[in-house]
Amino acid sequence: MSTAAPEGIVARRLSFVDRYLAVWILVAMAAGLGLGRLVPGLGDALAKVTVTGVSLPIALGLLVMMYPVLAKVRYDRLDTVTRDRRLLLPSLLLNWIVGPALMFALAWLFLPDLPAYRTGLIIVGLARCIAMVVIWNDLACGHREAAAVLVALNSVFQVIAFSALGWFYLTVLPGLLGLEQTGLDVSVWEIARSVLVFLGIPLAAGYLTRRIGEKTRGRTWYETRLIPRIGPFALYGLLFTIVVLFALQGDAITSEPLDVARIALPLLAYFAVMWAGSMALGRAVGLDYARATTLAFTAAGNNFELAVAVAIATFGATSGQALAGVVGPLIEVPVLIGLVHVALYARRYFTAPAVPELREDPTHA
């Protein structure tokens, strides 16, 4: 039996916003869709100013969302994570071999007659997580330091491998299988720029905040006074990002419900298979709950902002590929918040302690 705290105790520690997060996310999604549908020209206005191909309001929301979580990371513990091959090797396997291959198979299985949506989904599968996964991992009491390392690792591989994998899955493999081929023209610099903005900025800010805060006021003050003050902004940033994201494409989503449903089916299958398979693999190789949870969420999550930016830059803002990219978070957000609750329930099936410093940390969401 796991020594993890009962779910009721964890729930009582959560703030009002945290406890009903699933409700607020659904409200934010509905508000965004309603705004995009009811306010003419809102999507165009939000899309006018961009950062690395992503709407500026969404970019700001992502940065605000990631900063508090990365400020909580204990950077002095990262060396213990980098030496953990039982975590790092399965993560590389799941993210860069299993994930893209699974999305390719599901896209062709569910959308053989819709090449634009199929291509958009394959691009989503190639864009591995670097942003929202830190929120899901934190809510599920995953290992913060491990999440920081895996996100950084995914970022490096994203810069190196994204273009090559796009060429392979959209041109080479379909050609070998006698299927329709598609080109993908995206430079390494475009991908690197996206990674530097959406991971580099909040990571540097989080590291400097901890370094300066602990040096000037001490670790006790930092953990018990500063972190509780900035922590809630992660969820505020998440909700703001969701509102803006769905307002940006609200009209497209609500005007094509059948197409959205068809895109949603392979995405649902993808998130369920990747998360459950990764969690099971983590348990099988002997990871404790916190690390197995981090492995599962980093493998199941996707870098939707990069996928949408690449789809828009290559195929256009009104293309089917771009719509498929936008539907990605429409499905990912509620599914992964649901999987947070599944993960908390699954703790009882892990025999190893669930990382006491995370369970006992009063600042942990």
Side-chain angles (χ1 to χ4, degrees):
M1 178 68 69
S2 170
T3 60
E7 282 186 75
I9 294 176
V10 174
R12 285 196 295 271
R13 283 214 230 110
L14 299 178
S15 69
F16 179 74
V17 173
D18 293 346
R19 192 175 303 173
Y20 298 101
L21 180 60
V23 175
W24 310 137
I25 285 177
L26 291 174
V27 170
M29 292 169 64
L33 290 172
L35 285 171
R37 184 72 174 179
L38 298 175
V39 181
L42 178 61
D44 293 335
L46 292 173
K48 280 185 178 178
V49 182
T50 63
V51 177
T52 69
V54 177
S55 168
L56 178 60
I58 292 179
L60 292 175
L62 289 169
L63 295 177
V64 171
M65 176 187 73
M66 293 181 68
Y67 162 68
V69 178
L70 292 172
K72 294 179 183 180
V73 170
R74 290 283 300 274
Y75 293 93
D76 55 342
R77 297 177 179 172
L78 294 184
D79 60 331
T80 62
V81 179
T82 57
R83 294 196 300 266
D84 189 354
R85 293 187 178 182
R86 287 185 302 173
L87 176 65
L88 296 181
L89 294 180
S91 178
L92 290 174
L93 172 69
L94 290 165
N95 274 288
W96 297 102
I97 297 178
V98 176
L102 177 62
M103 188 68 90
F104 174 86
L106 291 172
W108 274 100
L109 179 65
F110 283 89
L111 303 170
D113 57 329
L114 296 171
Y117 296 155
R118 185 178 65 237
T119 298
L121 282 184
I122 293 172
I123 293 173
V124 170
L126 300 178
R128 311 312 300 167
C129 67
I130 68 167
M132 277 193 182
V133 70
V134 297
I135 296 289
W136 313 134
N137 179 74
D138 214 45
L139 289 171
C141 298
H143 197 289
R144 286 181 187 142
E145 288 69 39
V149 169
L150 295 185
V151 164
L153 195 63
N154 275 345
S155 299
V156 172
F157 270 80
Q158 204 146 242
V159 173
I160 296 171
F162 186 92
S163 296
L165 287 174
W167 170 71
F168 176 76
Y169 281 106
L170 294 174
T171 303
V172 176
L173 187 57
L176 293 174
L177 299 175
L179 303 172
E180 182 180 347
Q181 297 171 292
T182 306
L184 182 64
D185 182 20
V186 57
S187 72
V188 171
W189 166 238
E190 289 176 301
I191 299 165
R193 187 175 55 183
S194 176
V195 169
L196 286 172
V197 169
F198 295 116
L199 178 62
I201 291 176
L203 182 60
Y207 173 78
L208 290 174
T209 301
R210 178 172 283 277
R211 179 94 179 202
I212 296 170
E214 288 189 353
K215 186 174 182 179
T216 57
R217 302 296 294 273
R219 178 164 292 177
T220 299
W221 174 86
Y222 185 86
E223 296 285 355
T224 61
R225 300 292 297 276
L226 182 61
I227 289 299
R229 289 180 181 177
I230 66 175
F233 284 93
L235 298 183
Y236 302 153
L238 171 66
L239 295 175
F240 173 79
T241 302
I242 291 170
V243 171
V244 176
L245 178 67
F246 291 110
L248 191 63
Q249 293 285 343
D251 184 64
I253 292 173
T254 55
S255 63
E256 302 179 64
L258 293 180
D259 287 350
V260 169
R262 288 201 61 182
I263 296 169
L265 289 176
L267 284 168
L268 285 170
Y270 173 84
F271 293 131
V273 171
M274 283 299 293
W275 188 89
S278 302
M279 199 75 166
L281 177 61
R283 190 175 186 276
V285 299
L287 296 179
D288 61 17
Y289 167 80
R291 283 176 168 80
T293 297
T294 299
L295 177 67
F297 279 102
T298 52
N302 291 93
N303 185 357
F304 71 83
E305 60 272 17
L306 175 62
V308 171
V310 169
I312 290 175
T314 305
F315 302 102
T318 60
S319 65
Q321 291 87 344
L323 178 60
V326 170
V327 173
L330 173 70
I331 305 304
E332 178 176 343
V333 168
V335 168
L336 291 190
I337 193 62
L339 289 174
V340 166
H341 295 283
V342 175
L344 292 171
Y345 178 83
R347 287 190 297 188
R348 65 198 67 193
Y349 299 108
F350 285 78
T351 56
V355 188
E357 65 270 21
L358 291 181
R359 280 189 292 115
E360 296 168 6
D361 178 4
T363 69
H364 195 279

